[in-house]
Amino acid sequence: MDYAKQFIVTPGSKVDLTKIDAGYKDSHESHEAAMPEIEAYRDKLRDLQFRLYAETKQSLLICLQALDAAGKDGTVNHVLSAMNPQGCRVYGFKQPSAEELAHDFLWRIHKATPAKGEVAIFNRSQYEDVLVVRVHDLVPKSVWSKRYDLINDFERLLVDNGTRVVKFFLHISEDEQLRRFKQRIDDPARNWKISDADYKERSYWADYQKAYQEALSTCSTKHAPWYVIPANHKWFRNLAVSQIIVKTLEAMDPKIPAPTVDLDAIKKQYHAAEVAEEDGKV
Ligand code: ATP
Ligand code: MG
């Protein structure tokens, strides 16, 4: 199945999240059954990122957005597990600092965008400024409503400069979120991940869905598409996200650069013995 085609928010279309099944898992019966495919994409990801890093001409920005416990951290882990940390950086965007608030909302974001050859993963992103900010009226509507166009223009700037931008919304159901919160309470190793704020935010579920729908509908562009990933099944989420990243990198087609030196000359000069041996064998 081509998940990029299946889960893309077609530019100009209106997203209705109530119509998207968060529990979707394609025809895969179980995690175990999907394992070989998941591993195959991980291998492809490794190879493609190596080539991107070696090529040093283009970069990839992956934005992850989701409600609490929808699996942003798990997705970062999965994608990162396939990558050379030298060429991949992760940024988490929390509540802005006083210094960040003293600048325009894209200031902190722009500083974190990937350099040529790099992959950057954003755990939350520029979209918080039309999501949490909108839901909690942190700035007036006259301010946040202009940000959709500003974000589209910003992403266009990145794309024009050689950065591919892909954005994933990890879509979980309300029940699944509650189940995961409960697991965090029951599992001592995960207690630290739960807070009162998570339950408070949950009470704004409908407002968040509305804000997400507008962000997804308005900011899925040809140059920087949004994908809505069914994420109730963590393994399916990993499979779909990694397949789409692989496809994106394949389209970028990074190439290992040609050698900058005369390999034969170097071989003859510094590996004379081996060259003589090889010649003798012929
Ligand atoms: P986890 O999902 O593991 O809890 P997290 O990303 O939610 O991780 P937290 O420290 O719990 O991390 O929360 C960060 C908070 O910062 C979120 O509630 C998010 O909405 C908020 N935040 C991020 N960007 C902005 C912004 N521009 N303005 C206001 N709040 C923001
Ligand atoms: Mg949180």
Side-chain angles (χ1 to χ4, degrees):
M1 187 55 87
D2 183 339
Y3 296 130
K5 263 202 185 126
Q6 194 175 352
F7 300 139
I8 193 168
V9 176
T10 308
S13 69
K14 283 262 168 288
V15 177
D16 181 351
L17 289 171
T18 61
K19 296 222 166 73
I20 302 176
D21 177 14
Y24 179 82
K25 55 184 166 86
D26 201 358
S27 55
H28 304 286
E29 268 163 31
S30 62
H31 184 185
E32 284 65 38
M35 270 304 250
E37 213 180 317
I38 294 172
E39 285 312 312
Y41 283 117
R42 210 206 296 258
D43 289 345
K44 282 188 181 172
L45 213 51
R46 187 170 289 120
D47 172 57
L48 285 158
Q49 188 242 343
F50 177 74
R51 288 201 260 149
L52 187 83
Y53 180 69
E55 184 194 55
T56 332
K57 284 192 176 150
Q58 327 169 60
S59 56
L60 176 65
L61 171 59
I62 301 166
C63 297
L64 296 177
Q65 282 290 158
L67 295 173
D68 287 306
K72 296 187 299 297
D73 289 352
T75 308
V76 168
N77 258 329
H78 184 79
V79 174
L80 219 61
S81 70
M83 295 198 176
N84 175 354
Q86 279 216 97
C88 183
R89 287 177 297 135
V90 183
Y91 291 91
F93 293 99
K94 310 254 176 198
Q95 284 177 5
S97 66
E99 190 191 18
E100 287 166 350
L101 282 174
H103 291 81
D104 70 83
F105 78 103
L106 292 170
W107 182 70
R108 66 175 182 162
I109 307 287
H110 208 162
K111 284 197 293 190
T113 53
K116 293 192 191 311
E118 286 180 348
V119 176
I121 306 178
F122 284 0
N123 184 340
R124 301 187 187 270
S125 66
Q126 58 274 24
Y127 287 93
E128 289 294 315
D129 287 280
V130 289
L131 294 166
V132 63
V133 167
R134 168 177 169 162
V135 168
H136 291 290
D137 294 318
L138 300 181
V139 300
K141 181 171 182 183
S142 58
V143 174
W144 62 251
S145 61
K146 290 199 187 101
R147 290 182 174 168
Y148 300 95
D149 286 345
L150 294 169
I151 290 174
N152 284 342
D153 289 347
F154 169 66
E155 291 174 357
R156 153 68 58 210
L157 169 73
L158 299 182
V159 172
D160 283 353
N161 198 47
T163 301
R164 274 294 169 113
V165 182
V166 285
K167 303 169 298 197
F168 296 104
F169 171 60
L170 310 178
H171 177 46
I172 56 166
S173 63
E174 226 176 328
D175 291 351
E176 178 63 15
Q177 189 193 48
L178 193 61
R179 209 180 60 79
R180 291 187 187 181
F181 283 180
K182 176 80 175 17
Q183 275 178 348
R184 288 179 177 187
I185 290 177
D186 293 341
D187 177 359
R190 279 189 276 179
N191 285 168
W192 64 275
K193 275 196 145 189
I194 194 81
S195 74
D196 210 27
D198 292 332
Y199 286 92
K200 287 211 178 92
E201 283 307 279
R202 183 178 157 77
S203 65
Y204 293 93
W205 187 274
D207 293 339
Y208 270 110
Q209 299 294 303
K210 206 173 141 208
Y212 265 108
Q213 284 176 175
E214 181 152 0
L216 296 166
S217 305
T218 316
C219 300
S220 191
T221 54
K222 203 163 171 282
H223 60 274
W226 268 111
Y227 298 93
V228 177
I229 306 296
N232 276 6
H233 298 284
K234 295 175 181 174
W235 58 268
F236 181 74
R237 171 203 76 204
N238 287 344
L239 171 62
V241 167
S242 44
Q243 193 209 65
I244 294 170
I245 298 175
V246 163
K247 233 188 136 181
T248 304
L249 282 165
E250 278 174 352
M252 292 166 77
D253 194 21
K255 293 189 174 58
I256 301 279
T260 51
V261 292
D262 182 341
L263 296 180
D264 278 340
I266 289 188
K267 237 172 125 179
K268 277 187 194 134
Q269 188 175 353
Y270 297 105
H271 303 275
E274 288 97 319
V275 171
E277 201 180 315
E278 279 168 24
D279 287 349
K281 271 186 200 150
V282 177

